[in-house]
Amino acid sequence: MQHWKYAVSAAEQRPQTSPLPLEGDLYEVLEQAAALGYDGIELHAREYVPFDYERIKESGCKIRMLVTGRLFTEGNLSLLDGDPAKVDACLESMKIYLDKAAKLGAGIVLGWAKGTVAPGQDREAALRMLGERLQILDQYGSDAGAPIVIEAINRYETNLFHTAGEILRFLDTYHLENCYVHLDTFHMNIEEADLCGAIRLCGKRLGYFHVADNTRRYPGSGHLNFNEIFAALDDIGYSGWVNVECLPVPDGITAARQALHYLKKCEAGNAEPSAVRSPIA
Ligand code: LER
Ligand code: MN
């Protein structure tokens, strides 16, 4: 089985109930992640947060992805906003994320900030608008050297892109060559009839992979079969990173530690079946 690089989700401040194991000052979080054995972090931050690129390099831990969701949750901007000025502002902010990601050797995650289909709006028209706006960012990211990964998120959180198949169709329709599918085992467990089939369907277009168990606690605490999931990633020759995005339960450090310990066992093909694992509080 292939060996993947592992990252863990982090933010300076995490909203309550969010699935981000690490929280705090960026440079401390990078050290924490490195000490836990991670190769990198995924950072949830606004586009204007300044970076000390030298200090990031010195930490020995990479920022693998910049997550753009706060542009929507804090900035109230999305690519499908009804106000053209807000769409322009969103595009400009996305370009800033892409420039920063290129400097870090990272990519950007597009989830919330793509927006949603508004009540009464024609779905195909919304997809067309999103496709055209993403073509601008696809080209910009390609020129800058930073990919965009589009996350499939479950139906209770968004009305756009629930499955790998929907995103693949969209990428093909709009010829988005610098955009990739981003899957998350928590969402897949709700939306995909066949988790491993969805991974295989993506093949080389799978760009990023979030892991949590079925309850969204750390991998190994529930009933998802990560041995099979990793075998499917191996089958498609997945060369991206595996990112732990799980609830900070019982606390963030313990969740991050337990997750990595379990995932490395799965990678080695010797994780115990879920039935003999002890349940967590
Ligand atoms: C973000 O990666 C994600 O998976 C969303 O469910 C956040 O709520
Ligand atoms: Mn996710």
Side-chain angles (χ1 to χ4, degrees), residues 183-250:
L183 292 178
D184 177 324
T185 55
F186 171 73
H187 300 303
M188 293 169 85
N189 187 48
I190 297 170
E191 296 293 347
E192 304 282 3
D194 174 359
L195 273 67
C196 295
I199 291 170
R200 292 196 178 93
L201 185 69
C202 290
K204 294 292 176 206
R205 307 213 74 185
L206 181 64
Y208 197 45
F209 203 70
H210 273 172
V211 287
D213 222 311
N214 62 297
T215 60
R216 217 170 199 181
R217 292 185 181 184
Y218 60 80
S221 64
H223 70 235
L224 289 189
N225 189 330
F226 284 94
N227 287 324
E228 283 180 11
I229 290 168
F230 274 18
L233 288 176
D234 197 42
D235 279 354
I236 63 163
Y238 179 65
S239 58
W241 287 41
V242 172
N243 183 87
V244 172
E245 183 190 59
C246 67
L247 294 169
V249 176

Side-chain angles (χ1 to χ4, degrees), residues 103-173:
K103 265 182 109 165
L104 291 164
I108 72 167
V109 173
L110 181 63
W112 290 114
K114 65 183 180 297
T116 51
V117 183
Q121 187 181 20
D122 178 72
R123 189 171 187 83
E124 285 310 312
L127 282 171
R128 196 161 51 248
M129 269 195 276
L130 182 62
E132 286 165 5
R133 289 162 190 173
L134 265 172
Q135 280 169 346
I136 299 168
L137 296 176
D138 191 73
Q139 188 61 53
Y140 191 92
S142 174
D143 293 344
I148 300 168
V149 298
I150 303 177
E151 186 169 22
I153 293 179
N154 78 72
R155 70 191 73 179
Y156 304 108
E157 295 186 44
T158 182
N159 62 15
L160 252 190
F161 300 151
H162 302 140
T163 63
E166 285 172 68
I167 299 181
L168 286 167
R169 266 194 305 282
F170 175 77
L171 297 184
D172 286 343
T173 304

Side-chain angles (χ1 to χ4, degrees), residues 45-51 70-71 74-75 93 96-97 100:
R46 288 301 299 274
E47 70 285 15
Y48 48 70
V49 167
F51 290 145
R70 289 190 174 190
L71 205 49
E74 286 176 12
S93 298
I96 297 172
Y97 274 120
K100 285 190 158 162

